[in-house]
Amino acid sequence: MSVVSDNVEPLSFVFEDDGLVPNNPMPFLVYKGSIDVDNEHPEKTIEGLFGANGWGEMWRNGVYDYLHYHATVHEALGVARGHARVRFGGDGGREIEISSRDFCVIGAYPPGPQMHVTLPTPENHAKALQTIPAVELPKTDPVMGTDGPLVRLWN
């Protein structure tokens, strides 16, 4: 039995640089309801899926309650439990309701540099304009693998 729904096409958003949060020109993808987490160990389900698709550097927790971004690596988030309203793309971005049972998020990164939390300051923005274009594109989609939408939409 597959943990991923067949033929899932993610929601896609492009966030503009707002002067403090540079954002990435690649679309932000949301795979609503694509992973079957209706089991006793939804965290392990998401971790197994992300790991099998090459996004093996992971953490398990909630989400930060302050504005930040990552300028050195791409990030995948999988909601295993609970719900939250999270804004992506900076202050002018978009709030997305992400939900399940008791809130727990799995974060994952593709192979490459370590994740760094970057706060929205003019100095960090200037640095990020140099680092973001140099971040290597992932070879796999964290949910759908080598043939997933991320690979198609980001190339």
Side-chain angles (χ1 to χ4, degrees):
M1 182 174 153
S2 174
V3 298
V4 179
S5 299
D6 292 335
N7 302 320
V8 170
E9 193 62 29
L11 302 174
S12 178
F13 305 94
V14 175
F15 300 118
E16 299 296 324
D17 182 333
D18 69 5
L20 285 179
V21 177
N23 287 305
N24 194 308
M26 301 300 179
F28 174 79
L29 303 177
V30 179
Y31 298 78
K32 279 194 158 197
S34 63
I35 303 172
D36 181 3
V37 292
D38 190 18
N39 62 63
E40 292 183 23
H41 304 288
E43 294 88 354
K44 289 182 181 179
T45 299
I46 293 170
E47 290 164 345
L49 179 64
F50 286 172
N53 287 320
W55 292 60
E57 184 66 33
M58 290 181 241
W59 53 267
R60 189 190 287 195
N61 204 340
V63 292
Y64 291 133
D65 62 355
Y66 57 86
L67 182 59
H68 71 282
Y69 60 92
H70 308 292
T72 59
V73 67
H74 300 287
E75 180 177 49
L77 299 176
V79 178
R81 299 178 188 270
H83 66 278
R85 182 176 299 272
V86 179
R87 178 176 291 127
F88 296 97
D91 286 334
R94 181 167 181 140
E95 286 189 356
I96 296 175
E97 184 74 27
I98 51 180
S99 62
S100 178
R101 291 189 295 271
D102 303 323
F103 193 59
C104 179
V105 172
I106 309 303
Y109 308 95
Q114 290 281 29
M115 180 278 293
H116 296 281
V117 173
T118 304
L119 299 178
T121 67
E123 297 80 17
N124 286 342
H125 180 267
K127 288 180 196 172
L129 290 178
Q130 302 302 310
T131 58
I132 288 174
V135 175
E136 189 174 320
L137 293 178
K139 292 180 176 35
T140 58
D141 181 300
V143 176
M144 307 294 250
T146 56
D147 297 324
L150 179 143
V151 177
R152 183 179 72 253
L153 293 169
W154 283 16
N155 284 312

